[in-house]
Amino acid sequence: MDTVRTFVVEDNPTIRENLLGTLREVARVDPVGQAESEREGTRWLTSNLAQWDLAIVDLFLKDGTGFSVLEACRNREPAQKMVVLSNHLTPEMRRKCTQLGADAVFDKATEIDDLIDFCLRRRQEQFMRSAFSAAH
């Protein structure tokens, strides 16, 4: 498998669609779903553990927070990654995200390129893992 199955938890429909479009086009991720609330995101991610490789979570949602989504997914598989993408990042918020299990934290305004690079690295890692498995 050389795509990264990605689930996005973001309450702003315009940001969500633009993000998914950019990641699909540039990072070649495979969007498998989206949610706009804490409950909806948590429910899907925890009920479909075999269906996703990457979750991108906003911190401040229309209903609830991304912190709870991170916490609910702490016991995921090691290959499954969770990243935070938010406009409201202080050093303390970044620390809290990491403590709750985020693999990376990106600022929506200034670090989209870093998120794309993260997705491309994940895709490369999965491709290498698949090639290694096929050879052995």
Side-chain angles (χ1 to χ4, degrees), residues 63-115:
D63 177 30
T65 70
F67 294 121
S68 297
V69 178
L70 286 172
E71 185 140 36
C73 296
R74 283 187 98 142
N75 296 323
R76 63 190 180 274
E77 292 296 317
Q80 290 176 302
K81 303 297 179 192
M82 295 198 69
V83 301
V84 169
L85 181 64
S86 180
N87 279 326
H88 309 282
L89 292 174
T90 63
E92 181 58 36
M93 295 267 229
R94 287 178 184 269
R95 227 178 345 273
K96 183 173 180 177
C97 290
T98 302
Q99 290 170 345
L100 291 173
D103 295 289
V105 181
F106 302 105
D107 187 292
K108 282 181 188 174
T110 61
E111 298 176 323
I112 292 293
D113 288 342
D114 296 330
L115 171 63

Side-chain angles (χ1 to χ4, degrees), residues 4 20 23 27 34 37 40 44 54 57-58 63 65-66 74 76 81 89 92 101 106 108 113 117 122 128 131:
V4 178
L20 285 170
L23 292 177
Q34 54 191 301
S37 72
E40 189 183 357
W44 194 92
L54 173 66
V57 181
D58 187 13
D63 177 30
T65 70
R74 283 187 98 142
R76 63 190 180 274
K81 303 297 179 192
L89 292 174
E92 181 58 36
F106 302 105
K108 282 181 188 174
D113 288 342
D117 289 344
R122 293 290 308 131
M128 297 300 283

Side-chain angles (χ1 to χ4, degrees), residues 6-29:
T6 304
F7 189 87
V8 174
V9 183
E10 163 66 60
D11 62 340
N12 182 311
T14 303
I15 291 174
R16 191 172 57 237
E17 290 308 314
N18 289 339
L19 176 64
L20 285 170
T22 298
L23 292 177
R24 186 183 300 116
E25 188 84 16
V26 179
R28 303 218 351 240
V29 303

